[in-house]
Amino acid sequence: MNEILKQIADVGVVPVVKLDSPDQALPLGQALVDGDLPVAEITFRTDAAEESIRRLTGELPDLLVGAGTVLTVEQARRAVGAGAKFLVSPGFNPSVVQFCIANGVPVIPGINSPSQIERGIEMGVSVLKFFPAEPSGGLDMLKAFAGPYTGVSYVPTGGINAANMKNYLAFNKVLAVGGSWMVKPELVAAGRFEEISRLCREAVMGALGFELRHVGINEPDADTSLTEATLMCDLFGFALKEGNSSNFAGTAFEFMKTPYLGMNGHIALSTLSVDRAVAFLARKGIGTRPETEKRDAEGSLTVAYLDREIGGFALHLLKR
Ligand code: 3PG
């Protein structure tokens, strides 16, 4: 996949930003970075777009800046000239798509019908904006698209919010979701950048969807593992499940038959996307133990241990 599109997938959320003045650009961009959401789609809905993109790309190197609502080739040219790294449009405009292909700029054109998807496929576009997502039939519509069109992924946008984003992101044809709910124009106009950061952080955590899956406890040998797992079941009413390398008491407690990673054991966290979780944690300076990584047939990570322990427990990521 194109490196820019991969960066978008690794964040999972694209804020759709409308700025009335270029003076709002840097505080807004900083609020996104502070909220762990280092992507912005600056829309050409106002005259401030071009200069805002120029300032953001010049001053905030950690922010991936694209242009949105690109309706004409002229706007596409201005956006790219100002430094936009990707372009998004609400509909499928072949001239804009052609310009982007010719200039090697990733483009995410809007579609909401099979015919439009086929135009995209014909022109070699593999990521499409599903717009407006909710009024066009939402996740059910997208799942129906995925039947005939297997090689395409989508950025649903339009009516997405903190509550419904997770359902979209749990579908493997969804590269990321887009929306304005965390960068509402009224918040920008009122200079409420801390609130924007809070909403961004909430969106990012929603895209990661971390949940505690189980606690793994290192035992010295198989006999002790079984004795302790059985005790846990007797005391608290869990069902015993014997396995090859460990025994489970219910689903929350795993008793290893030989000591594995972590001084005391491991904490397993499930996530909507291990790739996205690994990218997020890398931005926090935490890496994985490469020998523990597992991938599915499509190359997506399903399992990884982190190179950091907490409280003597290794941290184990699992795809939900
Ligand atoms: C867009 O053009 O992408 C939409 O305006 C974003 O939709 P939303 O405001 O419903 O999030």
Side-chain angles (χ1 to χ4, degrees), residues 16 41 43 45 69 90 129 131 157-160 178-181:
V16 178
E41 175 190 328
T43 58
R45 286 173 208 185
T69 320
K129 170 172 172 166
F131 179 78
T157 308
I160 312 293
S180 63
W181 79 93

Side-chain angles (χ1 to χ4, degrees), residues 92-125:
F92 195 93
N93 179 332
S95 307
V96 170
V97 172
Q98 190 50 53
F99 170 86
C100 290
I101 292 171
N103 288 279
V105 181
V107 60
I108 308 177
I111 58 90
N112 74 344
S113 76
S115 306
Q116 295 159 2
I117 295 172
E118 290 186 21
R119 296 193 81 177
I121 292 171
E122 198 168 32
M123 293 185 75
V125 181

Side-chain angles (χ1 to χ4, degrees), residues 23-265:
D23 292 338
Q24 295 167 329
L26 292 181
L28 183 276
Q30 191 59 51
L32 296 177
V33 172
D34 292 346
D36 287 321
L37 184 33
V39 178
E41 175 190 328
I42 308 296
T43 58
F44 269 73
R45 286 173 208 185
T46 67
D47 294 338
E50 184 179 354
E51 177 59 17
S52 297
I53 291 170
R54 186 167 290 113
R55 291 189 193 182
L56 288 168
T57 52
E59 299 292 325
L60 294 176
D62 292 340
L63 189 70
L64 176 64
V65 183
T69 320
V70 177
L71 305 181
T72 64
V73 171
E74 160 66 10
Q75 286 175 335
R77 191 171 284 122
R78 283 166 48 206
V80 173
K85 298 291 184 300
F86 64 96
L87 263 53
V88 184
S89 56
F92 195 93
N93 179 332
S95 307
V96 170
V97 172
Q98 190 50 53
F99 170 86
C100 290
I101 292 171
N103 288 279
V105 181
V107 60
I108 308 177
I111 58 90
N112 74 344
S113 76
S115 306
Q116 295 159 2
I117 295 172
E118 290 186 21
R119 296 193 81 177
I121 292 171
E122 198 168 32
M123 293 185 75
V125 181
S126 59
V127 179
L128 296 163
K129 170 172 172 166
F130 175 40
F131 179 78
E134 284 288 291
S136 300
L139 189 56
D140 285 346
M141 183 73 149
L142 209 50
K143 287 191 170 167
F145 289 160
Y149 309 118
T150 52
V152 184
S153 48
Y154 303 91
V155 181
T157 308
I160 312 293
N161 55 45
N164 64 14
M165 62 177 284
K166 294 176 199 173
N167 296 336
Y168 282 97
L169 286 165
F171 182 43
N172 67 356
K173 296 295 176 195
V174 171
L175 185 92
V177 293
S180 63
W181 79 93
M182 73 304 270
V183 285
K184 288 205 179 79
E186 0 7 319
L187 292 177
V188 179
R192 295 183 59 198
F193 296 110
E194 279 184 20
E195 175 64 359
I196 289 173
S197 291
R198 189 190 70 75
L199 291 167
C200 288
R201 169 92 182 160
E202 178 188 66
V204 168
M205 293 323 280
L208 295 165
F210 287 124
E211 284 177 10
L212 177 61
R213 186 78 166 266
H214 63 255
V215 176
I217 298 161
N218 284 339
E219 298 288 9
D221 51 56
D223 286 348
T224 315
S225 161
L226 188 58
T227 309
E228 302 270 271
T230 305
L231 176 65
M232 195 82 176
C233 292
D234 287 348
L235 293 179
F236 301 111
F238 297 123
L240 179 69
K241 190 164 163 272
E242 295 183 50
N244 292 330
S245 56
S246 64
N247 297 302
F248 268 89
T251 55
F253 299 99
E254 179 178 24
F255 294 82
M256 308 308 291
K257 290 186 180 177
T258 51
Y260 190 47
L261 297 178
M263 191 169 67
N264 300 322

